Amino acid sequence: MIRLFAYIIVFACLPAGCRKPVTPDLIRDRQPAIFPDYSDVVFPPNMAPPNFRIDEQGDDFLAEIGVNGQILLTYRSSAPEVCIRESAWRRFAGEHAGAEYFVRISVKQGGRWVQWKDIVNRIARQPIDPYLVYRLLYPGYELWNEMGIYRRDLTSFGESAVVENKSLEKGCVNCHTFCRHSPDTMLLHIRGKMGGTVIRRHGATVKKDIKIPGGRHHGAYASWHPSGKFIAYSAGDIKQFFHLTGKKPVEVFDLESDLIIYDVDADRIFADSAISGEKYLETYPDWSPDGKNLYFCRTGAILKTASPDSIRYDLYRVSFDPAARTFGTPECIYNASGHGKTVALPRVSPDGRYLMCSMFDYGNFGIWHPESELSLLNLTTGEMRVMDEVNSPDVESFHAWSSSGRWFVFSSKRMDGLWARPYFAYFDPETGDASKPFPLPQKDPNFYEYFTKTYNLPELIKAPITDKRRFYRTEIIPIRKADR
Amino acid sequence: MKITRKQWILLFLLTAGFSGLFSGMLSHVIYDHEQHQLFLFCKGYFYSHLGLPGGLLKYITAFVVQFFYHPLLGSVLLASCIALVYPLGAIAGARISGKPDTLQLSLLAPLFLMIQYAAIEFPVSVVIGVLLNQLFVILLLRLPRKVCYFALFPFVSALYFLTGGYCLIFISMAMTNALSHAGRQTKRQIPLFAAFSIGLPFLGSYVCAVPVHTAITAALPDAISAGVLLLLLLLLSHPVLAYLFQERLTQSLTRLHRGFSSAGEAERVRSKRTVIVSVFFPLCYLLSASGFLMNNFDSRVRILLQASQYAKQNNWQGVLQSAGQYDGKNHLATYLTNLALFHTGRMPGQMFSFRQDWGKESLFFPWTGNSRESEYGDLVYAGLGYLNEAHHWTFEAMTVFGQTAPILQKLIAYNIANERPAVARRFINVLRQSLFYRSWADRADKIIRDSRSLPYHRVSDDTAHPARFSNFTDIGPDLLYLCRREPGNRMAFEYLMSYYLLTNQVVKFAENLWRKDAFSYPKLPRAYDEALLTYQLGVSPDVFRQLRIDVQPETMERLKQYYAMLRGKSDRRQLKEKFGDTYWYYLHFESPYGNKIIDRP
């Protein structure tokens, strides 16, 4: 028996350990093509291994990963997929946080080993929030069947459902929003027979109908006040239009839109002339980290004669007094329309120094605009810049900061132009620069080649969402009071 | 517990009979199931079925349904599945009731299932779920009593996660078994079953983090009513009936025995009667089932599915033949007929030879969010060259029906033609994971690699008006826009003309008739000629002369005859027989917009 075990061990070791070291016959002066593109990027030290596929022709593939010329991890296979062991990567990334590492790739082509120029990446010292929450669905327009909000453990490849619509009579679930990256204070919308806004706070989960009595529109895009006492919503008449020709399939517009505030403690909805009214359309609210300002996008009321490609939003800020529940006078902090652009999705960094937004040619729904790009406003200097280091020729849209402000995640359609995938980038608050982004690592490097659902609204959170069955609670508790 | 010779014969007869039905009268059922499911050989597809109890049943069903790609194979497969319910039920029933199935009650469940399968909505998962439960029951019954007691929990749990709510079949049959056997050991199982029935949904709810009602109804299809499921459950629980009624039957036979002079004579009479009962009852069942089946069969659904199948195959002559058989008013039938009329070059001449009950909507589906329509709405846009809109409809169909083969094929084709190869390739990658569509996917991939085009016309991008949106409630403005942008687009022209005719807009029709010069009609098509004459009668000669198109003399003659019949107050039926295929008849009697020209000059 012992002998049998010995044989097994010896034979198991042969392919890996006892293979002859590879001596390259040819060295190429370019980096190899790999998919997904994990080259020249910065990884968080606590993320799952970035498995990839070598997109070079060959019969045998070798990937060596190491630091300072020393090879620490080796993967050799006749298949081009490089799947790094999770435990090995965790140890490697933990031990080399803050350091650069190389990925050396050799491929046997026609009996000769060809080695490519090393791919050099870096592991940051700062970890990323360990959970990513997103909605998964086919990127349809009006109909849906199966969809759900899911939570991915970024430290591994584990994914679990937060809420799925098959338990909600096939209703639509959307707009999961967290207060300060905490799953303890969060909300999500459900549309359909079991519709309403599910709000979780202080351990209680309730469902509310966020709508000013007599008002026509329900709350949609939301932002939690950092105190967790208020939620700002946009409430509008959202319509879709389909392009007859061209690369953009669909256009989404607000025909009417205002901001409303839900006072969670008082169970009261209120609006203010500073953020609502017929003269302007306001949308995409986002509170500053100190809770004293509300950022949002605004444009003039849409005339029936207006051409859709002439509608452009500017970036506004309005002060807020939480005690008195009053707003100051809105001020335009970036006149995007003056630059022939429109602005959407402002998100202030946790330190309050930067505001990231997406900018595109017109409208307020950038996810279908290939020209949509992430831009960064330095709130100290007022300087706005397009983030060329993270943008691509295709869509960059919804984005979210990590709780530390060192990382951000955003939706990009750069892989094929139809499906949004979450991309991550490291951010340096001192310089205001970001690193080259990389897509969410998957266990199977070919995952994105087959997966035909889109990742919607990626949000980073600090802890897992618990007691998920409570989201299915059906009764709506009416709002106690509402005023304009 | 073996299948007897009689059961083998019945199984064979059932399989053959059902196969015949599925390859003949119900062939559309096989086709429809195949078109709405796609089994993929990949881990991701498997894992996606593990989230809920009963997910694996859907996985197994999809595996079976993929073979429906070959209709004959599919017919035999589905027929065998349904027929197998009979011997499995008979074996389990005999064991549970301890009595032979003299009344052939085991036949009821497969016959009932067969009747249900005459409707296309009835899911294949039902019969698979029943079979799996029956197999588990037989497996349980083969175990020694003591082992059986301990095996109950793993059995029920496994079945629950495999088949979801269907495990009620197993529980009810196993409970019947426990009831029908005396003894403390078996009786003790009953509270256990009750505990399982209540506890499992809670367990499922906890493990899968879903509400309890979802855990109960998991895997049970929405398409069938609770009544049908309940009836099926009762029929599958026939051992209870056997236990109750056959006891009486045996008693009556025993009484009969007492009346005879000798035991041999009594036995002869008893076996003769048993044979009669064994033949009589199955015959009754079969005859009743045939009646119910015919009642449940909707030939119009078959016609529609056949027409849509031909449309997918670009067999437009077949579409015309099929849709022409449709008796009644149906939007899809009219829509497909008009597409076929265009593709066979008969639209301008013969469109009023076919029913046009829906006015302008005879030409397209206005977007109403109807999921079933989303499968077909793209066809007209694909023909016109509005590939964005065709893609829109097909994509919506995918969100509803999932990644089925015909939807993926269309998405691949539209994206290749619309110069989005990366998107097309994603769908190709998915289709490649299927068994029967792999070669099709490879061919599509080769088209991308060779940068070849597809036989789809694509309207070029309108750079002057980047925000031009489709009007998905009324196709008319888009047709006019297209005719202006592409004067050589024959489908756009014929559809625009048809649109004007169907909406009584004779003036607009006449004003746009000059566009016909872009095409080589040997003479003005009949419907156009009739409408032009209608226009001529409503305007001054000077205005009409501006069109520079003359009405053919035979059309004038025909109109005279038409008016003569109309004024002569002849029978409407006669008028329809003689002039039902004219534009005038449509305008006077069939147009949903009334019998007046809408846009008088």
Side-chain angles (χ1 to χ4, degrees):
Chain A
M1 197 63 172
I2 294 167
R3 194 178 293 171
L4 179 69
F5 273 118
Y7 281 132
I8 290 168
I9 289 164
V10 167
F11 279 107
C13 291
L14 264 176
C18 304
R19 271 182 179 165
K20 279 184 192 171
V22 168
T23 313
D25 301 302
L26 181 69
I27 294 178
R28 290 204 194 277
D29 193 29
R30 68 165 174 89
Q31 286 184 342
I34 61 169
F35 178 85
D37 183 5
Y38 292 132
S39 61
D40 309 318
V41 296
V42 181
F43 283 113
N46 57 336
M47 197 176 247
N51 295 339
F52 61 91
R53 182 187 71 215
I54 302 166
D55 272 353
E56 301 289 349
Q57 292 294 318
D59 312 313
D60 209 351
F61 301 85
L62 174 69
E64 295 164 311
I65 302 170
V67 179
N68 296 329
Q70 191 188 357
I71 295 164
L72 299 169
L73 302 169
T74 304
Y75 294 89
R76 184 173 166 180
S77 165
S78 57
E81 286 82 15
V82 177
C83 296
I84 305 165
R85 271 205 327 273
E86 281 186 58
S87 55
W89 175 259
R90 204 171 291 134
R91 200 165 48 245
F92 174 83
E95 284 170 6
H96 300 97
E100 280 188 344
Y101 73 92
F102 65 85
V103 181
R104 187 169 298 151
I105 286 169
S106 308
V107 177
K108 199 173 186 181
Q109 296 178 330
R112 296 191 314 164
W113 279 100
V114 180
Q115 192 177 84
W116 273 265
K117 192 177 166 186
D118 288 354
I119 291 168
V120 180
N121 295 330
R122 190 162 68 84
I123 296 170
R125 285 188 196 284
Q126 296 81 4
I128 194 166
D129 294 330
Y131 299 98
L132 183 73
V133 182
Y134 43 80
R135 182 168 69 148
L136 278 182
L137 74 167
Y138 289 124
Y141 312 101
E142 286 183 59
L143 300 181
W144 67 84
N145 188 11
E146 286 186 2
M147 67 162 76
I149 295 173
Y150 298 85
R151 185 217 73 188
R152 164 74 188 265
D153 180 352
L154 292 177
T155 64
S156 70
F157 296 110
E159 184 187 71
S160 63
V162 175
V163 55
E164 285 181 317
N165 76 334
K166 51 191 160 196
S167 302
L168 292 164
E169 299 192 17
K170 296 276 170 78
C172 173
V173 288
N174 53 52
C175 293
H176 46 278
T177 310
F178 301 89
C179 179
R180 297 162 74 109
H181 306 88
S182 165
D184 299 331
T185 310
M186 65 169 287
L187 67 89
L188 57 90
H189 295 310
I190 297 166
R191 276 193 282 158
K193 282 181 194 165
M194 296 169 74
T197 298
V198 181
I199 298 172
R200 173 172 288 186
R201 203 174 71 122
H202 300 327
T205 305
V206 292
K207 194 189 273 181
K208 295 279 178 182
D209 184 13
I210 302 294
K211 184 183 174 188
I212 288 188
R216 283 186 293 170
H217 311 302
H218 292 266
Y221 312 124
S223 174
W224 281 90
H225 190 269
S227 67
K229 292 178 179 173
F230 303 96
I231 309 169
Y233 288 95
S234 72
D237 180 13
I238 304 169
K239 287 276 184 285
Q240 293 189 87
F241 302 91
F242 295 88
H243 287 276
L244 274 175
T245 60
K247 296 288 176 205
K248 290 174 203 164
V250 65
E251 204 66 68
V252 183
F253 283 114
D254 284 345
L255 298 183
E256 295 171 20
S257 178
D258 284 324
L259 297 186
I260 55 175
I261 310 292
Y262 174 49
D263 184 334
V264 190
D265 280 344
D267 193 17
R268 184 176 193 145
I269 291 179
F270 64 96
D272 190 290
S273 58
I275 53 170
S276 68
E278 290 180 358
K279 202 174 171 188
Y280 298 105
L281 270 65
E282 295 88 357
T283 189
Y284 295 128
D286 190 58
W287 297 99
S288 62
D290 59 8
K292 291 178 181 170
N293 288 297
L294 179 68
Y295 292 85
F296 59 97
C297 302
R298 186 162 100 168
T299 188
I302 295 173
L303 302 171
K304 280 186 177 168
T305 52
S307 168
D309 52 359
S310 67
I311 299 164
R312 294 189 176 91
Y313 285 74
D314 298 317
L315 186 60
Y316 274 76
R317 173 170 58 197
V318 64
S319 60
F320 177 64
D321 180 352
R325 303 194 315 165
T326 54
F327 286 93
T329 308
E331 56 170 323
C332 178
I333 57 167
Y334 184 69
N335 179 17
S337 57
H339 294 83
K341 291 282 177 188
T342 187
V343 67
L345 297 163
R347 305 299 285 269
V348 184
S349 63
D351 60 6
R353 289 164 67 185
Y354 297 94
L355 181 147
M356 202 181 288
C357 56
S358 61
M359 285 212 281
F360 39 100
D361 288 349
Y362 61 90
N364 73 342
F365 208 75
I367 196 70
W368 294 108
H369 281 248
E371 79 280 3
S372 175
E373 291 183 322
L374 291 187
S375 298
L376 191 73
L377 177 69
N378 185 326
L379 291 171
T380 318
T381 63
E383 181 204 349
M384 176 75 92
R385 75 174 183 89
V386 175
M387 300 181 77
D388 291 327
E389 68 271 36
V390 296
N391 289 319
S392 74
D394 223 305
V395 181
E396 274 74 40
S397 184
F398 190 90
H399 45 276
W401 294 95
S402 72
S403 59
S404 66
R406 290 286 184 164
W407 298 94
F408 62 92
V409 59
F410 63 96
S411 294
S412 177
K413 294 188 173 179
R414 66 187 64 189
M415 276 190 199
D416 41 51
L418 181 59
W419 292 277
R421 271 89 188 217
Y423 276 73
F424 299 85
Y426 176 77
F427 185 76
D428 185 346
E430 300 312 316
T431 60
D433 292 331
S435 67
K436 182 183 163 185
F438 61 90
L440 174 67
Q442 302 290 349
K443 192 167 192 169
D444 177 4
N446 299 311
F447 176 83
Y448 293 114
E449 300 275 27
Y450 297 98
F451 195 65
T452 52
K453 284 188 177 170
T454 205
Y455 285 82
N456 224 207
L457 309 182
E459 288 275 6
L460 289 160
I461 56 170
K462 292 186 284 193
I465 299 167
T466 53
D467 201 6
K468 292 177 260 187
R469 275 172 297 164
R470 284 189 151 200
F471 292 126
Y472 299 107
R473 185 187 172 120
T474 53
E475 311 82 41
I476 285 191
I477 301 170
I479 300 276
R480 208 182 299 159
K481 275 184 179 177
D483 50 34
R484 255 185 197 277
Chain B
M1 287 204 293
K2 275 166 69 179
I3 302 181
T4 63
R5 214 176 87 185
K6 194 171 74 184
Q7 285 167 347
W8 274 117
I9 294 168
L10 269 172
L11 174 63
F12 175 76
L13 289 175
L14 285 178
T15 309
F18 294 168
S19 300
L21 282 171
F22 284 126
S23 4
M25 189 174 97
L26 300 177
S27 60
H28 62 288
V29 173
I30 298 292
Y31 167 75
D32 194 64
H33 282 300
E34 195 277 332
Q35 292 285 291
H36 287 97
Q37 288 200 51
L38 182 68
F39 182 84
L40 300 178
F41 287 88
C42 69
K43 279 184 205 163
Y45 184 73
F46 175 71
Y47 291 136
S48 70
H49 286 83
L50 295 180
L52 271 181
L56 279 173
L57 175 65
K58 290 182 179 169
Y59 183 80
I60 296 166
T61 305
F63 179 80
V64 172
V65 169
Q66 71 177 327
F67 296 103
F68 292 12
Y69 179 83
H70 297 295
L72 187 64
L73 178 62
S75 307
V76 175
L77 207 55
L78 184 57
S80 309
C81 288
I82 300 170
L84 262 175
V85 173
Y86 160 66
L88 295 183
I91 290 169
R95 177 68 188 255
I96 291 169
S97 65
K99 296 176 177 61
D101 188 11
T102 319
L103 299 178
Q104 297 297 335
L105 293 166
S106 325
L107 268 175
L108 290 174
L111 290 174
F112 175 76
L113 282 170
M114 187 60 231
I115 294 165
Q116 299 306 316
Y117 277 109
I120 53 165
E121 297 86 20
F122 200 76
V124 178
S125 60
V126 178
V127 69
I128 308 283
V130 168
L131 280 179
L132 285 171
N133 275 276
Q134 284 182 320
L135 283 171
F136 266 68
V137 168
I138 290 171
L139 203 61
L140 183 81
L141 295 176
R142 287 185 77 94
L143 294 176
R145 288 269 160 80
K146 280 184 183 170
V147 180
C148 182
Y149 187 74
F150 293 106
L152 267 180
F153 182 70
F155 261 57
V156 180
S157 307
L159 249 185
Y160 174 64
F161 281 98
L162 189 64
T163 64
Y166 286 103
C167 79
L168 209 58
I169 296 169
F170 174 86
I171 290 177
S172 64
M173 289 179 84
M175 267 179 108
T176 313
N177 180 49
L179 278 168
S180 63
H181 289 90
R184 202 177 291 167
Q185 191 81 27
T186 46
K187 291 277 186 285
R188 226 185 281 160
Q189 290 175 3
I190 293 165
L192 258 180
F193 281 120
F196 288 153
S197 310
I198 298 164
L200 275 174
F202 285 96
L203 182 71
S205 161
Y206 178 77
V207 172
C208 303
V210 292
V212 178
H213 72 87
T214 308
I216 295 169
T217 57
L220 294 178
D222 307 329
I224 56 174
S225 66
V228 167
L229 282 175
L230 194 66
L231 197 54
L232 179 64
L233 190 66
L234 283 174
L235 293 176
L236 287 165
S237 306
H238 68 83
V240 182
L241 295 174
Y243 188 69
L244 295 175
F245 294 111
Q246 286 185 191
E247 184 72 20
R248 294 201 172 178
L249 191 74
T250 316
Q251 280 169 6
S252 62
L253 289 173
T254 313
R255 275 200 299 275
L256 204 71
H257 177 185
R258 288 191 197 115
F260 289 101
S261 55
S262 70
E265 191 189 349
E267 188 56 43
R268 268 201 307 281
V269 171
R270 189 161 59 179
S271 64
K272 199 174 168 187
R273 289 194 179 205
T274 309
V275 169
I276 291 168
V277 164
S278 316
V279 175
F280 175 73
F281 278 93
L283 266 177
C284 282
Y285 303 152
L286 280 172
L287 288 172
S288 314
S290 308
F292 280 117
L293 185 73
M294 292 314 289
N295 195 42
N296 222 20
F297 171 67
D298 189 346
S299 63
R300 299 196 301 178
V301 173
R302 177 183 158 77
I303 289 169
L304 282 180
L305 282 175
Q306 220 166 32
S308 70
Q309 186 178 1
Y310 288 137
K312 280 176 193 168
Q313 295 162 352
N314 287 329
N315 177 359
W316 298 108
Q317 200 56 46
V319 173
L320 274 183
Q321 277 169 4
S322 286
Q325 293 168 14
Y326 191 89
D327 179 24
K329 184 179 169 182
N330 181 277
H331 196 170
L332 179 61
T334 312
Y335 168 79
L336 291 176
T337 300
N338 282 327
L339 277 169
L341 282 171
F342 166 74
H343 286 288
T344 52
R346 294 156 66 181
M347 189 170 216
Q350 296 177 24
M351 70 177 291
F352 294 105
S353 303
F354 295 84
R355 293 183 69 135
Q356 302 291 347
D357 304 296
W358 301 82
K360 64 184 176 186
E361 288 169 17
S362 301
L363 302 172
F364 75 110
F365 280 109
W367 179 255
T368 56
N370 181 321
S371 56
R372 198 73 197 189
E373 288 172 0
S374 67
E375 278 188 284
Y376 305 103
D378 63 301
L379 296 173
V380 65
Y381 295 105
L384 287 168
Y386 277 148
L387 294 188
N388 269 6
E389 194 56 15
H391 188 269
H392 163 214
W393 279 82
T394 313
F395 215 93
E396 295 285 35
M398 188 179 78
T399 61
V400 176
F401 297 103
Q403 298 184 121
T404 65
I407 289 174
L408 287 177
Q409 284 175 315
K410 283 200 272 191
L411 286 172
I412 290 166
Y414 295 155
N415 278 295
I416 293 176
N418 221 358
E419 294 170 13
R420 294 187 191 126
V423 177
R425 194 156 263 145
R426 295 281 179 271
F427 293 122
I428 287 172
N429 289 340
V430 176
L431 205 55
R432 262 198 187 128
Q433 294 170 326
S434 69
L435 184 61
F436 295 109
Y437 293 94
R438 194 172 295 160
S439 53
W440 190 97
D442 287 339
R443 282 200 299 278
D445 192 39
K446 202 164 182 310
I447 288 172
I448 297 178
R449 274 187 278 123
D450 298 348
S451 304
R452 280 187 287 139
S453 62
L454 281 167
Y456 278 106
H457 165 65
R458 180 172 78 98
V459 179
S460 58
D461 296 354
D462 188 348
T463 45
H465 302 95
R468 160 116 201 148
F469 303 119
S470 71
N471 186 333
F472 46 72
T473 55
D474 188 353
I475 200 171
D478 289 350
L479 290 171
L480 186 59
Y481 167 78
L482 195 51
C483 281
R484 284 178 183 152
R485 284 213 50 211
E486 292 188 335
N489 190 327
R490 190 181 183 118
M491 185 170 178
F493 168 72
E494 290 189 1
Y495 262 67
L496 181 69
M497 294 292 102
S498 305
Y499 173 85
Y500 286 143
L501 295 183
L502 289 169
T503 50
N504 303 8
Q505 298 185 71
V506 176
V507 177
K508 283 193 176 160
F509 161 80
E511 285 169 358
N512 283 278
L513 193 56
W514 62 270
R515 297 180 191 278
K516 74 173 176 48
D517 295 343
F519 315 101
S520 51
Y521 293 107
K523 61 175 187 175
L524 198 61
R526 210 183 80 182
Y528 293 0
D529 215 26
E530 290 164 356
L532 190 64
L533 181 53
T534 311
Y535 173 76
Q536 187 182 9
L537 296 172
V539 295
S540 67
D542 288 343
V543 172
F544 184 72
R545 262 196 298 276
Q546 285 171 13
L547 293 181
R548 292 181 191 167
I549 310 169
D550 291 325
V551 176
Q552 292 156 53
E554 61 262 30
T555 308
M556 289 184 181
E557 191 53 40
R558 221 172 35 249
L559 183 66
K560 279 179 197 165
Q561 292 172 13
Y562 175 78
Y563 266 109
M565 274 187 92
L566 191 69
R567 270 199 300 259
K569 300 202 185 320
S570 61
D571 186 37
R572 167 94 178 268
R573 197 166 49 84
Q574 282 180 339
L575 187 69
K576 187 170 184 178
E577 261 172 32
K578 193 157 186 203
F579 292 101
D581 59 350
T582 62
Y583 180 59
W584 308 311
Y585 187 86
Y586 172 81
L587 195 60
H588 279 136
F589 300 108
E590 291 187 337
S591 170
Y593 310 98
N595 60 1
K596 298 280 186 291
I597 292 167
I598 285 178
D599 48 3
R600 281 186 182 280

